[in-house]
Amino acid sequence: MLFRSQERSEFFELVKEEKKEPVFRSPEHIWQTQFLDDPSRMKALLCTRRAGKSYAAGLMLLEAAYKNPNVSCLYVALTRDSAKRIMWKDVLKTIDREQQLGCRFNETELSVTLPNGSIVYLLGMDADEQEKEKALGQKFKAVAVDEAASYNVDLNEIVYGILKPATADYRGTIALIGTPGNMKRGIFFDLTRGQDPGDPGRWDKDGWTCYRWTAFQNPKVAEQWTAEIEDLKLANPAVEQTTLFQQHYLGRWVIDDTKLVYKFDSARNVFKELPTPKVNGRGRWHYVLGIDLGFNDPTAWVVCAYHDFDRCLYVLGADKKGGCDITEVADRTRNLMTKFEFDAIVIDNANRQAVEEIRRRHDIPLTAADKVGKADFIEIMNGDFVSGWIKLHATATLALQEEYGGLVWDERSQRREEHPASPNHCSDAMLYAWRHCYQWLAETGAHRLTPYASASADWMVVEAERRLEESLAERDRMEAESRLYSE
């Protein structure tokens, strides 16, 4: 019996010697190691595709779970499906197998349980409120938020409203991870704008420690990545100029022009001084004010002008301000009325109570904006942008220009809708005003049909339909050229 006990003891010692401590680092991947070794509680990571950023997230989470018994860690992606697709098989199961962690994988709730009682959860927080609620009231040692450039919801609210309090007990880490996308807005863009992953490095911003690198710094794929890029260049010598290449292969914040809602071009649609039509004093300027009403979101004002003998619409100014009550909206509007004699003041009528308050109590004549067919009218308006018939003042419309440069279509929507995380307050105010401007009726020959003529209504409908057809044809042509260019 003593001999058997001694054999058993020797056997357990042998097994113990064979069991090695897991290694959550790859010495060859220098920048990934620096990111993981960094003790900062708030970290951000900007990379190209195939740079090993999601793998770094998996290493960070499993290491925190392994070294701290009975804690919870969290991986967040856009959706539950994308969380599983990115992290489950190719990252967490691979690390578990290579490091012999002995994890148990629950496919139903997407959780990974380690032998020490610690758990790594996977959630999708962008579109599912129930998934977000799962993080409320929890305590996390480490959190990784992947796909950080692509959230529809306010990522700032998720980080500071849900995740930061959840890491307070353990003084845990939050890491934002992503590749540039088409939406230049949000906490991840603010932290990483202007950074070039092609020049690997670290920087600090707003209390965050940030890192950047490309797939060329990932020793597992560097050789294949080089060959992949060479293949792309052979197939299309101009591929480096395409938006997708610059986003995914170079890690740069550029927007795909085909995804922009409005076809505004600063080289074509900007003016510095309002022209003086040479019509011997005939005709006059008309002014229209567009207002997009908000409180938590900003209220926006856009002033447009057109002349009886000028085909162009001129945007004289655009401004927006958050937290405005009804009186402040009325006061700012009345101040503009002292400077311009408006033919119409067109306002978002979603809050009818507020609109009626402004109209009755403050005696401001308001016209309710027509929101029916918004996407179709945007296409008509884009025809005017492409034709150079809409021009924005170079300095007085910067708020509107900024929105036009970042407002993209929501690719995940079943309908043609703007991305909900992209500001569109000045853009909407401009659209409201544009629909009540009649520069396209300007006199170009001997006779001019005014918008007030008895026969004008039917003609305006025909003209709108014609312009819509032209705009849609122009869009199809541009998209076809874009596909040809990227092939």
Side-chain angles (χ1 to χ4, degrees):
M1 182 68 68
L2 180 62
F3 179 75
R4 290 180 179 176
S5 177
Q6 183 177 354
E7 281 185 329
R8 187 162 56 250
S9 177
E10 290 175 352
F11 171 77
F12 285 134
E13 287 296 322
L14 181 63
V15 171
K16 185 177 180 180
E17 289 179 3
E18 291 180 350
K19 175 64 176 178
K20 298 179 181 178
E21 273 296 302
V23 178
F24 296 98
R25 302 288 185 277
S26 175
E28 298 84 9
H29 202 324
I30 299 172
W31 285 104
Q32 186 186 80
T33 298
Q34 288 191 30
F35 172 77
L36 293 171
D37 286 343
D38 194 303
S40 304
R41 290 190 59 211
M42 309 290 281
K43 299 192 282 190
L45 175 55
L46 177 71
C47 288
T48 64
R49 298 287 300 274
R50 305 299 299 141
K53 60 185 183 300
S54 295
Y55 203 83
L59 290 170
M60 183 187 84
L61 297 173
L62 285 175
E63 180 179 31
Y66 179 83
K67 293 183 176 180
N68 300 275
N70 300 308
V71 301
S72 296
C73 297
L74 178 65
Y75 173 80
V76 178
L78 292 175
T79 65
R80 194 174 187 273
D81 287 342
S82 66
K84 182 176 182 180
R85 184 178 66 254
I86 295 169
M87 189 62 45
W88 198 247
K89 177 176 69 70
D90 294 333
V91 178
L92 296 179
K93 285 192 173 183
T94 298
I95 297 172
D96 172 60
R97 181 176 64 252
E98 292 179 349
Q99 302 301 326
Q100 302 178 21
L101 299 178
C103 297
R104 288 186 289 110
F105 289 80
N106 187 317
E107 299 273 351
T108 301
E109 67 174 18
L110 287 187
S111 65
V112 182
T113 304
L114 281 70
N116 65 358
S118 291
I119 303 176
V120 177
Y121 294 99
L122 277 66
L123 294 180
M125 282 194 176
D126 191 43
D128 193 330
E129 289 296 326
Q130 291 183 340
E131 291 288 287
K132 282 193 286 186
E133 290 174 359
K134 290 179 182 179
L136 294 173
Q138 297 288 321
K139 296 185 296 184
F140 298 112
K141 181 63 180 175
V143 179
V145 181
D146 209 346
E147 306 178 285
S150 304
Y151 283 76
N152 282 349
V153 297
D154 186 356
L155 194 55
N156 192 76
E157 179 183 339
I158 290 178
V159 170
Y160 289 106
I162 298 177
L163 300 180
K164 189 90 165 52
T167 60
D169 287 32
Y170 295 128
R171 304 296 290 167
T173 299
I174 298 175
L176 299 183
I177 298 169
T179 296
N182 284 317
M183 189 174 62
K184 290 186 176 182
R185 182 182 184 271
I187 183 174
F188 186 68
F189 171 70
D190 292 338
L191 291 172
T192 61
R193 72 166 81 192
Q195 299 297 324
D196 182 4
D199 178 21
R202 169 196 157 163
W203 73 100
D204 297 320
K205 186 171 184 181
D206 300 335
W208 292 73
T209 301
C210 310
Y211 288 83
R212 63 178 184 265
W213 69 78
T214 72
F216 289 116
Q217 281 71 54
N218 183 354
K220 293 184 178 180
V221 302
E223 186 176 340
Q224 300 94 312
W225 194 249
T226 301
E228 175 71 11
I229 290 178
E230 290 302 317
D231 288 344
L232 289 172
K233 289 180 179 179
L234 286 174
N236 180 7
V239 70
E240 291 179 287
Q241 307 304 317
T242 63
T243 302
L244 288 179
F245 185 90
Q246 294 194 43
Q247 288 177 348
H248 297 172
Y249 289 82
L250 302 181
R252 295 176 181 171
W253 282 103
V254 295
I255 292 183
D256 184 351
D257 290 345
T258 64
K259 302 297 190 299
L260 288 172
V261 175
Y262 292 94
K263 305 305 180 185
F264 166 79
D265 185 337
S266 59
R268 178 185 61 220
N269 303 115
V270 166
F271 76 98
K272 294 183 179 180
E273 294 184 6
L274 198 63
T276 302
K278 298 179 180 180
V279 289
N280 297 322
R282 291 186 299 157
R284 69 178 183 91
W285 284 99
H286 301 267
Y287 303 97
V288 176
L289 174 63
I291 304 175
D292 186 56
L293 204 56
F295 184 77
N296 293 327
D297 289 333
T299 295
W301 294 262
V302 173
V303 177
C304 296
Y306 65 95
H307 194 274
D308 291 332
F309 291 89
D310 191 331
R311 178 64 178 79
C312 282
L313 174 66
Y314 298 92
V315 186
L316 305 184
D319 191 19
K320 56 184 175 181
K321 185 178 185 296
C324 292
D325 59 21
I326 292 175
T327 300
E328 185 172 1
V329 172
D331 289 344
R332 282 175 165 252
T333 302
R334 189 168 293 284
N335 182 52
L336 289 170
M337 292 171 65
T338 64
K339 300 176 181 178
F340 303 96
E341 185 179 345
F342 293 114
D343 287 0
I345 301 175
V346 192
I347 192 169
D348 171 16
N349 199 39
N351 188 342
R352 295 185 61 183
Q353 187 176 30
V355 171
E356 288 303 314
E357 177 84 3
I358 297 171
R359 180 185 286 122
R360 296 178 184 180
R361 182 180 294 273
H362 297 277
D363 194 27
I364 296 177
L366 300 175
T367 300
D370 185 1
K371 294 187 174 184
V372 177
K374 181 179 181 181
D376 290 337
F377 278 97
I378 288 175
E379 293 298 344
I380 299 174
M381 190 175 181
N382 279 333
D384 286 354
F385 274 122
V386 172
S387 301
W389 289 336
I390 298 177
K391 296 187 183 295
L392 280 59
H393 191 278
T395 57
T397 62
L398 293 179
L400 178 58
Q401 293 180 48
E402 183 179 4
E403 286 189 6
Y404 282 158
L407 183 57
V408 294
W409 293 111
D410 185 0
E411 296 179 351
R412 285 180 283 171
S413 174
Q414 297 296 321
R415 298 181 296 175
R416 194 160 177 79
E417 296 177 314
E418 297 145 289
H419 198 294
S422 298
N424 65 350
H425 316 296
C426 287
S427 304
D428 278 356
M430 171 61 184
L431 184 64
Y432 302 152
W434 170 84
R435 292 184 66 172
H436 284 260
C437 292
Y438 302 100
Q439 74 285 349
W440 44 278
L441 291 175
E443 183 174 354
T444 56
H447 175 69
R448 175 180 182 271
L449 179 63
T450 70
Y452 311 105
S454 59
S456 64
D458 292 339
W459 191 86
M460 288 163 59
V461 172
V462 173
E463 175 68 5
E465 291 176 347
R466 182 189 66 77
R467 293 167 67 197
L468 175 59
E469 291 178 359
E470 289 181 352
S471 180
L472 293 175
E474 175 66 14
R475 184 194 68 185
D476 292 343
R477 183 188 65 78
M478 293 175 66
E479 290 180 351
E481 288 182 355
S482 176
R483 288 193 298 269
L484 181 62
Y485 181 66
S486 60
E487 290 177 352

